[in-house]
Structures are given as structure tokens and as C-alpha cells.
Amino acid sequence: MGDIKFYKINNDNIQELQGKSIALEKSLQSLIEGNLDTFLGIRFLASEYSTGKKHGGRIDTLGIDENHSPVIIEYKRSMNENVMNQGLYYLDWLLDHKAEFQLLVLNKFGQDFANKIDWSSPRLLCIAGSFTKYDEHAVQQINRNIELYQYKHYDEGFIMLDLVNATMAQTVLTEMSANNSSTDKPKAWKTIADYMAQADTELINRYEALRAFLFALSDDVQESILKYYIAFKRIKNFACVELRTQNNILLVYVKVDPTTIELEPGFTRDVRNIGHYGTGDLEIQIKNDTDFEKAKELIVKSFEVS
């Protein structure tokens, strides 16, 4: 459970700011929905979305994240409300109504964006003033992408949103490629599973060293295995990794402004105007241990703003 404290400095005096974990009201839901990208890196799609007469429910907030994964957000308004079971119920509905979700994205953001929807990692986010130890334990027992966020209000006009627990569905890379539906559009690009299967020992070892470094940055780092890349995030992405077997390198995309550093040909590249998978305006090419050591500082910069 998160236990973050905020203090106000007034000359030499320190005053703790008292946060309030009050019952979540509609006004706070509206505030979160109006600033989803700022809070969570999610694009807003719909509020109180009806799942139809037969299913008989309403999804609190529906969105799509920076990895183009569908997102359901449910708000826990009372201590005895089983918001996770409710959210899982809606998640199952969503997976059975992919075409309806795609049409919603199409109408909101256009065809190009709708074509990028990634169904490999749909997410359920639960937001509440507080969670019980039973909530946190239950999350760890479910093989779905579930995140618990605690919020607090402060009289000084501050709001805190703290990721207190998360679990990522276990994805087997080799199965991802094999399980592509025949209804999928023709395969034009290799998936991350393809690259993993073809990578030699040197490249795999380099990736595992990078992965260990990313997880060591904080105990709240999450790994999301997507179709074409692997995203590492806290609340938002801070590193997106691709493997390139043809030249035996790792490509890492980070959220660092390319204009703030001196670009080094063959190592760093400004990709603000270059199409690529994942998020981040700076591309880092890791070909050897020296590149890896140099990359660490840039990765930490991205991590600190995630």
C-alpha cells in the first residue's frame, strides 16, 4: 500500500499536508476523464459507456493508452464495493465486442489510429480513496492486467494519484506469434515474438541485462509485452524496446527531448518526425556494452518523468 506524505515548507517550518481519502464523487471522475492523458497517458473515449440491455452494465471510463491497448477504468465509491469483479466483468464483455470498440476508436480518432489497436494487453484500472489488503492480494491472483490507484485530495488544491499495486498478465512471446488470428490483416512486419525467436545468445543476453537494469530502477516498474515491442512503465511508459536481429542491436525509445542532448550518430537519433513503434522522441541504439553504459543516463532521465 502506498504511504506517500506531502509537506509544505514555510521558511524554516515544515507542515504536513493532510490528504483526504473521501468517497469518490462524480466531479472527481469528470476531472480524471478530462485529464486522462496527463494523469495516466490514456486517450479518453467514453464515460458511463453502456454495455447493452443483455449485459446490463455501464463502464465508468473507456479509453485507449499510449500503446494502443484498450483500457477500462472503474472507480470504487465505497469500501464494500467489489470494483475488481465488476471491472473484470466489463473486461470480458470488451473482449467479446472488439468490433464495437474499434468503431468507437474509428469515430473518435480515425482509421489510422483504429488500425493500431493492440488486443494483446487490455487493461483494467481501479481508482479509489483506499484499498484493503484483500484487494491488493486479489490483484496478484488474477492473470489480467490490473492496476490499483489511490487518490487523495489536499486543501491547497493538490491531488495525488498513486499506483499502489499492479499485476501484468503473463504473456508467452512464442505463443503470441502462433496465436495470430486468421482474420488479422496480412503480416507485413515481424513481431517481437519473431525477433525473440530468431535472436542469438548475445542479443538475448544484452536484452536481459537491459531488462534487469530497468526493473532495478524501482519496484513499481511494469513490463508490458506487446505485438511489436516491449514497454516498460510506471504509470506511463519510460522505455520501449525492440530487438533487431539483422544487425544485432536493441532499439530503445525514451521520453527525452532530443534537442536537450548532443546527438551521436549510430547511437542516438531524433525520431520526432520518423515513424516508429512505441513511445518516445529519442531512439537509442545499443550494440555493445559501451552503448549500454552510455544509455543508462538517458533511460534514467526518461524514468524520472514517467
Side-chain angles (χ1 to χ4, degrees):
M1 179 69 71
D3 187 24
I4 296 175
K5 294 182 180 294
F6 289 99
Y7 298 88
K8 182 177 181 180
I9 302 174
N10 186 9
N11 295 324
D12 293 331
N13 297 318
I14 302 295
Q15 177 187 1
E16 182 180 350
L17 302 182
Q18 299 298 320
K20 299 176 182 178
S21 298
I22 58 175
L24 192 147
E25 299 174 352
K26 179 63 179 177
S27 60
L28 183 55
Q29 179 179 340
S30 298
L31 176 66
I32 292 173
E33 288 178 342
N35 298 275
L36 266 184
D37 189 36
T38 301
F39 279 124
L40 299 162
I42 294 170
R43 295 194 184 201
F44 174 77
L45 284 172
S47 181
E48 305 297 336
Y49 188 80
S50 173
T51 57
K53 292 183 179 180
K54 183 177 180 180
H55 190 270
R58 285 186 177 274
I59 297 172
D60 286 345
T61 305
L62 195 57
I64 186 165
D65 71 12
E66 57 190 333
N67 298 312
H68 300 96
S69 296
V71 180
I72 287 174
I73 303 176
E74 290 293 309
Y75 306 90
K76 186 174 181 178
R77 294 174 171 83
S78 62
M79 285 298 293
N80 60 356
E81 185 178 7
N82 198 332
V83 69
M84 274 185 291
N85 283 352
Q86 183 173 303
L88 289 169
Y89 183 60
Y90 291 142
L91 196 56
D92 284 341
W93 174 89
L94 183 64
L95 293 172
D96 286 335
H97 293 77
K98 293 180 180 179
E100 185 172 336
F101 181 84
Q102 184 157 355
L103 181 60
L104 187 64
V105 175
L106 173 65
N107 292 335
K108 190 86 172 182
F109 300 118
Q111 186 67 62
D112 288 345
F113 199 91
N115 288 340
K116 296 177 182 178
I117 297 172
D118 190 332
W119 288 99
S120 63
S121 298
R123 298 165 61 195
L124 169 62
L125 278 57
C126 302
I127 298 177
S130 63
F131 292 97
T132 68
K133 62 181 180 181
Y134 305 108
D135 293 328
E136 296 187 61
H137 177 75
V139 166
Q140 301 302 321
Q141 310 308 310
I142 302 170
N143 188 31
R144 291 291 185 88
N145 298 317
I146 306 175
E147 298 155 48
L148 305 184
Y149 290 88
Q150 175 181 300
Y151 75 90
K152 283 188 179 181
H153 263 170
Y154 294 87
D155 292 337
E156 290 77 6
F158 295 102
I159 185 171
M160 180 199 73
L161 196 62
D162 180 28
L163 175 63
V164 297
N165 212 319
T167 184
M168 305 300 291
Q170 296 300 307
T171 305
V172 180
L173 285 168
T174 53
E175 291 180 355
M176 282 177 57
S177 185
N179 290 339
N180 282 338
S181 167
S182 60
T183 60
D184 287 345
K185 58 186 179 181
K187 187 175 176 181
W189 302 99
K190 289 182 181 180
T191 66
I192 190 67
D194 295 329
Y195 280 117
M196 280 287 191
Q198 296 167 6
D200 62 17
T201 301
E202 180 184 1
L203 186 58
I204 291 296
N205 287 345
R206 190 173 300 133
Y207 169 72
E208 289 298 335
L210 172 64
R211 183 173 183 266
F213 171 74
L214 296 172
F215 275 119
L217 292 173
S218 174
D219 59 6
D220 64 350
V221 171
Q222 305 167 65
E223 176 187 41
S224 184
I225 301 173
L226 301 153
K227 190 171 184 179
Y228 295 113
Y229 60 95
I230 302 172
F232 292 86
K233 65 179 184 177
R234 300 168 82 188
I235 291 179
K236 300 179 184 179
N237 291 353
F238 67 90
C240 294
V241 183
E242 296 181 46
L243 285 78
R244 287 289 181 266
T245 53
Q246 63 269 33
N247 42 17
N248 223 37
I249 65 172
L250 299 176
L251 297 181
V252 185
Y253 296 96
V254 295
K255 292 179 177 177
V256 173
D257 184 349
T259 64
T260 63
I261 66 168
E262 184 177 349
L263 297 175
E264 183 180 333
F267 175 60
T268 49
R269 184 168 67 138
D270 181 349
V271 292
R272 286 176 294 178
N273 298 311
I274 300 174
H276 65 280
Y277 292 115
T279 56
D281 292 334
L282 182 70
E283 177 190 272
I284 307 170
Q285 299 180 26
I286 300 178
K287 302 179 290 295
N288 48 49
D289 292 343
T290 301
D291 288 342
F292 181 31
E293 289 303 316
K294 290 192 298 182
K296 289 180 179 180
E297 180 180 354
L298 296 171
I299 292 171
V300 170
K301 282 185 178 181
S302 184
F303 170 81
E304 290 173 345
V305 299
S306 66

